[in-house]
Amino acid sequence: MPTTKRAQPDACSLLDTDHKNVKKMFSAYEELMESKAASATGKKRELANQICMELTVHAQIEEEIFYPAVREAIKETDLLDEAEVEHSTAKDLIAQLQDATDIDDMFDAKVKVLGEYIDHHVKEERNEMFPKARATKLDLVAMREQLAARKEELMAELMGEPA
């Protein structure tokens, strides 16, 4: 009985799922920016906090697990250097959002710029880094499990729950 080989979910697919989830949150935030409802301000703060938490955890699992493994497995590491610089800049914007007391036009602008920045970063990972990682001998299926476990641990920490 012939079977068709389907690619198993791997580290790249887990990271890309995170990318897609955050993209939806940025889109929802943009809709709130257009809303004139009084409740929009509180919802924007809540959604911005969620975006910041997701991105913080995502960046940390990439930096702790994915990037070091890929860096060892591929010859050209310019892409990884750029990704780490992009993470650093995104973290600066995240800190500004988390420290903000007012949900005003500048807050909205920072969320919008962060979203655009993340879009650029995601395109580079999806189109360049992930294909290169998948072309190596790295066990990306096993790495997916490692990333998922670490993500769960970090989310629990940020939510104040025991790991």
Side-chain angles (χ1 to χ4, degrees), residues 69-128:
V70 174
R71 186 175 291 280
E72 282 188 27
I74 65 174
K75 286 181 175 50
E76 49 199 272
T77 57
D78 292 358
L79 202 54
L80 289 151
D81 294 342
E82 286 176 32
E84 289 182 18
V85 171
E86 289 168 353
H87 277 198
S88 178
T89 304
K91 287 177 192 176
D92 288 344
L93 269 174
I94 289 168
Q96 289 177 41
L97 289 169
Q98 291 172 326
D99 292 344
T101 52
D102 295 328
I103 310 301
D104 55 12
D105 290 344
M106 283 305 290
F107 187 88
D108 288 346
K110 288 175 184 176
V111 173
K112 185 171 178 65
V113 168
L114 180 61
E116 291 167 352
Y117 206 72
I118 297 302
D119 272 350
H120 167 79
H121 178 72
V122 165
K123 281 182 185 129
E124 285 188 345
E125 284 190 345
R126 188 178 290 150
N127 298 332
E128 298 176 52

Side-chain angles (χ1 to χ4, degrees), residues 1 10 26 29 31 38 40 42 48 50 63 67 82 85 90 104 131 145 148-150 155 157-158:
M1 175 183 248
D10 65 7
F26 279 115
Y29 191 94
E31 286 176 26
Q50 182 68 27
E63 290 167 8
Y67 290 173
E82 286 176 32
V85 171
D104 55 12
E145 298 307 314
R150 182 65 176 137
M155 284 296 209
E157 282 175 26
L158 286 175

Side-chain angles (χ1 to χ4, degrees), residues 35-86:
S35 170
K36 302 294 180 213
S39 62
T41 300
K43 289 178 183 173
K44 285 198 292 189
R45 166 57 84 184
E46 193 177 299
L47 191 51
N49 287 344
Q50 182 68 27
I51 289 168
C52 290
M53 183 174 69
E54 293 285 339
L55 289 175
T56 298
V57 168
H58 178 84
Q60 190 167 341
I61 64 173
E62 280 186 334
E63 290 167 8
E64 286 180 5
I65 301 166
F66 187 72
Y67 290 173
V70 174
R71 186 175 291 280
E72 282 188 27
I74 65 174
K75 286 181 175 50
E76 49 199 272
T77 57
D78 292 358
L79 202 54
L80 289 151
D81 294 342
E82 286 176 32
E84 289 182 18
V85 171
E86 289 168 353

